[in-house]
Amino acid sequence: QVQLVESGGKAVQPGSSLRLSCTGAGFRLEGLAITWFRQLPGSQRETLVCINSRSDNNPWRDSVRDRFRVSRDDVMNTVYLQLNNLERGDTAIYHCATDWNGRCSPISQSHYHTEGQGTQVTVGA
Protein backbone atom coordinates (compact mmCIF):
# COMPACT_ATOMS: atom_id res chain seq x y z
CA GLN A 1 0.00 0.00 0.00
CA VAL A 2 1.42 3.38 -0.96
CA GLN A 3 1.01 6.34 1.32
CA LEU A 4 2.49 9.72 2.18
CA VAL A 5 3.83 10.06 5.72
CA GLU A 6 4.39 13.40 7.43
CA SER A 7 6.52 14.02 10.51
CA GLY A 8 8.14 16.81 12.50
CA GLY A 9 5.16 18.57 14.01
CA LYS A 10 5.09 19.49 17.69
CA ALA A 11 4.08 22.15 20.20
CA VAL A 12 6.28 25.26 20.07
CA GLN A 13 6.27 28.89 21.21
CA PRO A 14 5.59 31.84 18.86
CA GLY A 15 8.69 32.81 16.91
CA SER A 16 10.00 29.25 16.78
CA SER A 17 10.95 27.24 13.69
CA LEU A 18 10.12 23.69 12.65
CA ARG A 19 11.01 21.47 9.72
CA LEU A 20 8.31 19.12 8.54
CA SER A 21 9.08 16.08 6.40
CA CYS A 22 6.99 14.18 3.87
CA THR A 23 8.13 10.77 2.70
CA GLY A 24 6.70 8.23 0.31
CA ALA A 25 6.03 4.85 1.90
CA GLY A 26 6.08 2.19 -0.78
CA PHE A 27 6.87 4.53 -3.68
CA ARG A 28 9.33 7.19 -4.87
CA LEU A 29 8.50 10.90 -4.80
CA GLU A 30 10.90 11.63 -7.64
CA GLY A 31 9.04 13.00 -10.64
CA LEU A 32 5.97 13.96 -8.61
CA ALA A 33 4.72 17.38 -7.64
CA ILE A 34 4.12 17.46 -3.89
CA THR A 35 1.77 19.92 -2.23
CA TRP A 36 1.67 20.98 1.41
CA PHE A 37 -1.66 22.06 2.84
CA ARG A 38 -2.90 22.57 6.38
CA GLN A 39 -6.16 21.93 8.12
CA LEU A 40 -6.98 24.66 10.60
CA PRO A 41 -9.09 24.25 13.75
CA GLY A 42 -12.67 24.10 12.48
CA SER A 43 -11.48 22.01 9.47
CA GLN A 44 -10.81 24.81 6.99
CA ARG A 45 -8.13 23.75 4.49
CA GLU A 46 -5.39 26.05 3.19
CA THR A 47 -3.03 24.97 0.44
CA LEU A 48 0.38 26.45 1.27
CA VAL A 49 2.82 25.54 -1.50
CA CYS A 50 3.52 23.04 -4.24
CA ILE A 51 6.97 21.90 -5.33
CA ASN A 52 7.06 20.40 -8.79
CA SER A 53 9.34 17.67 -10.06
CA ARG A 54 12.06 20.18 -11.07
CA SER A 55 11.76 22.30 -7.87
CA ASP A 56 10.98 25.42 -9.87
CA ASN A 57 7.97 27.68 -10.34
CA ASN A 58 6.44 26.70 -7.00
CA PRO A 59 3.09 28.39 -6.32
CA TRP A 60 2.74 29.78 -2.79
CA ARG A 61 -0.02 31.05 -0.56
CA ASP A 62 0.86 34.72 -0.09
CA SER A 63 0.28 34.72 3.67
CA VAL A 64 3.16 32.29 4.33
CA ARG A 65 5.50 33.00 1.42
CA ASP A 66 7.93 35.08 3.47
CA ARG A 67 8.13 32.69 6.44
CA PHE A 68 7.98 29.17 5.00
CA ARG A 69 10.36 27.37 2.65
CA VAL A 70 9.89 24.19 0.62
CA SER A 71 12.56 21.83 -0.69
CA ARG A 72 12.97 18.26 -1.82
CA ASP A 73 15.67 15.61 -1.62
CA ASP A 74 14.82 12.86 -4.07
CA VAL A 75 17.75 10.74 -2.89
CA MET A 76 16.20 10.73 0.60
CA ASN A 77 12.70 10.38 -0.92
CA THR A 78 11.58 13.36 1.16
CA VAL A 79 10.00 16.77 0.69
CA TYR A 80 10.52 19.32 3.46
CA LEU A 81 8.53 22.31 4.66
CA GLN A 82 10.54 24.74 6.78
CA LEU A 83 8.33 26.82 9.04
CA ASN A 84 9.95 29.99 10.43
CA ASN A 85 8.76 32.66 12.84
CA LEU A 86 5.69 30.64 13.72
CA GLU A 87 2.55 32.45 14.82
CA ARG A 88 -0.46 31.23 16.81
CA GLY A 89 -2.49 31.29 13.60
CA ASP A 90 -0.19 28.61 12.15
CA THR A 91 -1.66 26.04 14.55
CA ALA A 92 -2.99 23.29 12.28
CA ILE A 93 -2.51 19.77 11.02
CA TYR A 94 -0.02 19.91 8.14
CA HIS A 95 -0.45 17.45 5.29
CA CYS A 96 1.41 16.61 2.11
CA ALA A 97 -0.36 15.39 -1.00
CA THR A 98 0.06 14.48 -4.63
CA ASP A 99 -2.05 14.14 -7.78
CA TRP A 100 0.51 11.71 -9.21
CA ASN A 101 2.00 14.00 -11.85
CA GLY A 102 4.94 16.36 -12.06
CA ARG A 103 3.00 19.62 -12.39
CA CYS A 104 1.62 21.83 -9.66
CA SER A 105 -2.06 22.67 -9.59
CA PRO A 106 -3.25 26.20 -8.78
CA ILE A 107 -2.94 27.15 -5.13
CA SER A 108 -6.75 27.38 -5.01
CA GLN A 109 -7.03 23.58 -5.20
CA SER A 110 -7.66 22.11 -1.76
CA HIS A 111 -8.18 18.36 -2.26
CA TYR A 112 -5.80 15.87 -3.85
CA HIS A 113 -5.75 12.28 -5.06
CA THR A 114 -3.45 11.01 -2.30
CA GLU A 115 -3.09 12.83 1.02
CA GLY A 116 -1.08 11.94 4.10
CA GLN A 117 -2.56 11.71 7.59
CA GLY A 118 -0.79 14.87 8.68
CA THR A 119 1.40 16.10 11.51
CA GLN A 120 0.15 18.46 14.23
CA VAL A 121 1.78 21.84 14.74
CA THR A 122 0.65 23.77 17.80
CA VAL A 123 1.95 27.30 18.41
CA GLY A 124 1.66 28.90 21.80
CA ALA A 125 -0.44 26.33 23.62
Side-chain angles (χ1 to χ4, degrees), residues 5 9 14 17 27 29-31 33-34 44 49 54 58 62 66 86 90 94 97 101-103 109 111-112 118:
V5 180
S17 296
F27 70 102
L29 300 184
E30 187 173 5
I34 302 297
Q44 177 187 351
V49 63
R54 298 189 306 274
N58 306 319
D62 287 343
D66 292 336
L86 282 162
D90 295 319
Y94 286 71
N101 61 54
R103 304 179 309 278
Q109 182 173 328
H111 289 75
Y112 302 88

Side-chain angles (χ1 to χ4, degrees), residues 26-48:
F27 70 102
R28 301 289 303 174
L29 300 184
E30 187 173 5
L32 297 176
I34 302 297
T35 295
W36 283 97
F37 70 92
R38 64 187 179 186
Q39 194 151 13
L40 302 170
S43 297
Q44 177 187 351
R45 286 187 169 205
E46 287 186 343
T47 294
L48 301 174

Side-chain angles (χ1 to χ4, degrees), residues 61-108:
R61 176 171 292 275
D62 287 343
S63 62
V64 300
R65 180 191 301 266
D66 292 336
R67 297 188 293 120
F68 294 179
R69 294 290 180 266
V70 67
S71 60
R72 67 189 301 154
D73 184 338
D74 287 334
V75 173
M76 298 299 292
N77 201 35
T78 302
V79 172
Y80 302 100
L81 184 66
Q82 177 71 35
L83 314 177
N84 298 318
N85 194 20
L86 282 162
E87 304 169 351
R88 294 179 190 274
D90 295 319
T91 294
I93 302 172
Y94 286 71
H95 302 260
C96 59
T98 186
D99 279 337
W100 294 96
N101 61 54
R103 304 179 309 278
C104 286
S105 299
I107 209 70
S108 57

